[in-house]
């Protein structure tokens, strides 16, 4: 079952069940909803210590309860950690689908990186994610999701693309190659351990560079194409599988967004910003760890080329807000001004290290994204917040609210995000993919580990920097 089908089959079915638990959540003693200890997939003393520290120190007991449920959810429910051929190997499912997305698996373990020094086994688990991601990229750099069993044939085997055993889905998304580089780089920076950034990792990096260059499409359309027999327009690619036309200007084509929806204009601006960042991170690692200045220079040259093209083509004149970053462009002068709840998004650019929070064009873009100028911004009876096309109109994304909080420097805005998340979990104690702006009990994906863990990241960041907002 794919994500869209899962959403349709579970969102309404679970809503009625959760109304009763919503009442219990208001009790002084919150219900136990976390997986029992004996059934948890991985146990981290550092994570448990962080949970106890936050819960015992903040005045908002419901937020503390939600943090205890959400922050460890990736470890509790989604990881398969083992030692294979003497090296750590970690397979991470997204939650409700038994497949490992390169994006989601990175984002799910990302908030644990600061805790690795307190927990060597947690560090090894994350090293195992890096090892597996490197193998996945070498199997197929155009795929977005993979199986643990590298011989398994996908339910999407009939997609009109070059499917291979072990690949769950082959939707080309720039961020699928960005996230693993981000994880390896920050792992190295946090620990000083370069062991997972080995020869296999270097080969994967070379494949990243090759793929990005192919998808600049300077001389040809490149090797990637994708079509699916479907009634859902955003699940297939226009232009006989190569996408809508765009002018080759140095930007990287992306056929799909991080939501797994097809792009309208193939230059997806947030993802190109993300590529610019990780290309420079890869160059630094190659230079400092492997003393390969020549290859590092190639990565930096591509980063500079993408950056120059972004400056020239990604900044557009919005009818009412002036100069902003578009979400998608084609370099022919056409652009699309929206944002999506998934990351990378325009809202998330400072979180990814792509722009400064006070960048004037970003500030203006932020105003667009968080206003009625964005057709997917939702205002409802239950809450206001960012949405996105993936699950349709009137659906607020907790990921969007969380990223809004993570990128804000304003106490009132951060408090608004936390309060909204607190009152819209529908009594479950967990985050979801999206919820209806008028009725939070109508939500999609009851088990979505990325949203849970990044909620924990927001609470932990607030605890460290602005603890008073948690009281």
């Amino acid at each position: 079952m794919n994500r869209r089908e899962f959403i349709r089959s579970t969102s309404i079915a679970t809503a009625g069940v959760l109304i009763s638990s919503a009442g219990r959540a208001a009790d002084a003693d919150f219900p136990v909803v976390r997986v029992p200890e004996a059934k948890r997939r991985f146990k981290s003393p550092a994570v448990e210590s962080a949970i106890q520290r936050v819960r015992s120190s903040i005045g908002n007991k419901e937020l503390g309860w939600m943090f205890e449920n959400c922050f460890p959810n990736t470890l509790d429910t989604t990881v398969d950690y083992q030692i294979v051929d003497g090296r750590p190997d970690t397979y991470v499912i997204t939650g409700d689908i038994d497949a490992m997305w390169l994006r989601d698996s990175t984002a799910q373990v990302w908030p644990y990186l600061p805790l690795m020094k307190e927990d060597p086994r947690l560090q090894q688990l994350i090293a195992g994610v890096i090892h597996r991601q490197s193998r996945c990229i070498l199997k197929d750099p155009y795929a977005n999701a993979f199986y643990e069993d590298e011989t398994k044939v996908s339910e999407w085997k009939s997609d009109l693309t070059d499917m291979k055993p072990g690949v769950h889905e082959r939707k080309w998304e720039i961020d699928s190659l960005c996230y693993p580089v981000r994880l390896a780089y920050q792992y190295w920076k946090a620990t000083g351990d370069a062991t997972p950034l080995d020869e296999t990792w270097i080969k994967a990096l070379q494949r990243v560079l090759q793929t990005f260059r192919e998808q600049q499409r300077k001389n040809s359309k490149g090797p990637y194409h994708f079509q699916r027999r479907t009634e859902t327009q955003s699940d297939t690619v226009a232009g006989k599988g190569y996408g809508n036309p765009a002018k080759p200007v140095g930007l990287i084509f992306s056929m799909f967004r991080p939501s797994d929806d097809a792009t309208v204009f193939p230059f997806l601006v947030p993802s190109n910003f993300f590529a610019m960042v990780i290309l420079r991170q890869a160059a630094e690692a190659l230079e400092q760890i492997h003393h390969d200045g020549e290859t590092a220079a190639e990565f930096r040259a591509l980063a500079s080329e993408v950056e120059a093209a972004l400056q020239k083509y990604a900044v557009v004149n919005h009818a009412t807000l002036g100069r902003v970053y578009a979400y998608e462009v084609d370099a022919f002068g056409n652009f699309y001004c929206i944002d999506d709840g998934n990351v990378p998004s325009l809202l998330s650019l400072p979180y990814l290290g792509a722009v400064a929070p006070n960048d004037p064009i970003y500030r203006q873009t932020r105003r667009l994204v968080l206003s009625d100028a964005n057709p997917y911004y939702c205002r409802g009876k239950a809450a206001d917040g960012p949405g996105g096309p993936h699950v349709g109109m009137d659906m607020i994304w907790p990921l969007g609210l969380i990223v809004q909080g993570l990128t804000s420097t304003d106490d009132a805005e951060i408090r608004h995000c936390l309060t909204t998340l607190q009152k819209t979990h529908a009594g479950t104690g967990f985050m979801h993919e999206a919820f209806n702006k008028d009725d939070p009990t109508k939500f999609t994906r009851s088990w979505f580990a990325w949203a849970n863990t990044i909620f924990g990241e927001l609470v932990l960041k607030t605890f460290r920097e602005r603890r008073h907002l948690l009281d």
Side-chain angles (χ1 to χ4, degrees):
M1 182 180 293
N2 73 4
R3 292 184 177 197
R4 196 181 305 278
E5 289 168 342
F6 184 89
I7 288 164
R8 289 172 178 163
S9 65
T10 61
S11 58
I12 303 302
T14 56
V17 175
L18 292 163
I19 292 173
S20 59
S21 64
R24 292 202 312 274
D27 296 340
D29 294 321
F30 298 101
V32 176
V33 294
R34 187 180 172 189
V35 175
E37 186 173 355
K39 294 183 178 180
R40 293 172 192 168
R41 306 285 298 176
F42 187 91
K43 300 171 188 177
S44 165
V47 170
E48 298 303 322
S49 177
I51 291 168
Q52 291 305 312
R53 191 161 59 249
V54 170
R55 285 211 70 176
S56 64
S57 303
I58 66 174
N60 190 324
K61 298 307 176 185
E62 186 172 10
L63 273 180
W65 170 69
M66 292 169 64
F67 179 72
E68 180 176 16
N69 301 330
C70 292
F71 188 54
N73 189 245
T74 287
L75 301 181
D76 285 354
T77 66
T78 70
V79 298
D80 183 6
Y81 168 70
Q82 52 190 312
I83 301 296
V84 177
D85 297 329
R87 302 197 313 171
D89 178 78
T90 310
Y91 176 72
V92 187
I93 64 172
T94 179
D96 47 51
I97 304 169
D98 185 7
M100 177 168 165
W101 268 256
L102 293 176
R103 168 184 55 256
D104 294 37
S105 59
T106 294
Q108 285 167 242
V109 300
W110 179 263
Y112 305 136
L113 290 172
L115 303 177
M116 290 185 297
K117 287 188 176 180
E118 304 171 36
D119 189 341
R121 193 163 172 265
L122 179 64
Q123 180 177 330
Q124 286 298 97
L125 176 134
I126 294 173
V129 178
I130 297 169
H131 284 309
R132 179 165 280 269
Q133 288 178 339
S134 296
R135 297 205 312 274
C136 289
I137 292 169
L138 290 173
K139 176 181 282 289
D140 187 351
Y142 285 106
N144 55 323
F146 300 81
Y147 294 120
E148 185 170 25
D149 179 356
E150 298 187 25
T151 66
K152 183 176 178 179
V153 176
S154 172
E155 63 185 284
W156 301 116
K157 61 183 180 294
S158 61
D159 284 347
L160 303 177
T161 190
D162 300 326
M163 288 293 288
K164 299 175 183 176
V167 169
H168 170 70
E169 194 171 48
R170 196 171 190 259
K171 289 182 171 180
W172 161 236
E173 305 161 4
I174 292 172
D175 68 283
S176 292
L177 296 184
C178 294
Y179 271 105
V181 179
R182 185 184 200 226
L183 180 64
Y185 175 83
Q186 193 57 43
Y187 171 94
W188 165 55
K189 285 295 190 180
T191 64
D193 174 29
T195 306
L197 284 66
D198 56 12
E199 290 302 316
T200 303
W201 184 77
I202 292 174
K203 290 177 183 176
L205 272 191
Q206 291 168 341
R207 194 66 62 84
V208 170
L209 182 65
Q210 174 189 335
T211 305
F212 282 174
R213 283 174 169 167
E214 288 172 351
Q215 290 307 311
Q216 287 182 298
R217 300 192 185 180
K218 292 180 178 179
N219 302 310
S220 71
K221 291 180 179 179
Y224 178 79
H225 55 88
F226 181 99
Q227 289 177 288
R228 176 175 291 174
R229 297 177 179 90
T230 176
E231 296 177 355
T232 304
Q233 182 182 16
S234 58
D235 265 347
T236 191
V237 175
K240 297 184 178 179
Y242 290 95
N244 288 317
K247 184 190 295 185
V249 292
L251 292 171
I252 303 165
F253 286 67
S254 189
M255 292 300 94
F256 289 90
R257 301 168 180 162
S259 62
D260 300 337
D261 287 353
T263 51
V264 176
F265 300 120
F267 293 142
L268 183 56
V269 169
S271 293
N272 270 270
F273 267 111
F274 198 8
M276 176 193 75
V277 171
I278 66 93
L279 284 164
R280 288 173 174 151
Q281 292 174 343
E284 182 183 342
L286 284 167
E287 209 165 50
Q288 294 193 19
I289 298 170
H290 298 285
H291 311 292
D292 186 352
E294 183 177 348
T295 307
E298 294 183 54
F299 277 81
R300 288 199 179 97
L302 180 54
S304 296
E305 184 179 6
V306 171
E307 181 178 32
L310 284 167
Q311 291 172 352
K312 186 171 182 179
Y313 296 101
V315 181
V316 302
N317 285 309
H318 187 269
T320 58
L321 288 167
R323 285 163 58 80
V324 298
Y325 294 118
Y327 185 67
E328 294 172 355
V329 300
D330 66 359
F332 285 113
N334 301 303
F335 57 87
Y336 194 20
C337 284
I338 64 161
D339 205 16
D340 202 307
N342 257 292
V343 181
S345 60
L346 293 172
L347 192 61
S348 72
L349 291 179
Y351 175 71
L352 298 173
V355 302
N358 61 353
D359 174 87
I361 298 175
Y362 170 74
R363 297 302 304 175
Q364 204 65 358
T365 305
R366 187 182 181 91
R367 291 187 186 97
L368 184 158
V369 169
L370 300 175
S371 76
D372 296 334
N374 172 12
Y376 291 99
Y377 189 78
C378 303
R379 297 190 188 277
K381 297 176 182 178
D384 302 339
H390 185 60
V391 293
M393 302 297 290
D394 301 330
M395 299 293 283
I396 296 171
W397 284 67
L399 266 176
L401 284 163
I402 292 163
V403 169
Q404 182 183 353
L406 287 169
T407 55
S408 177
T409 57
D410 179 74
D411 275 12
E413 185 176 20
I414 297 168
R415 182 182 280 112
H416 162 76
C417 295
L418 289 166
T419 301
T420 303
L421 293 162
Q422 180 179 342
K423 70 180 183 181
T424 56
H425 64 84
T428 66
F430 292 101
M431 296 292 101
H432 308 113
E433 180 185 52
F435 62 86
N436 185 273
K437 65 179 186 177
D438 297 320
D439 184 358
T441 65
K442 295 178 180 178
F443 60 78
T444 60
R445 302 190 71 179
S446 58
W447 178 21
F448 185 26
W450 177 9
N452 286 325
T453 312
I454 196 174
F455 169 78
E457 181 179 359
L458 172 61
V459 172
L460 203 54
K461 182 176 188 286
T462 307
F463 180 75
R464 290 167 176 160
E465 299 175 5
R466 302 167 189 262
R467 190 173 302 188
H468 61 282
L469 297 182
L470 301 175
D471 291 327

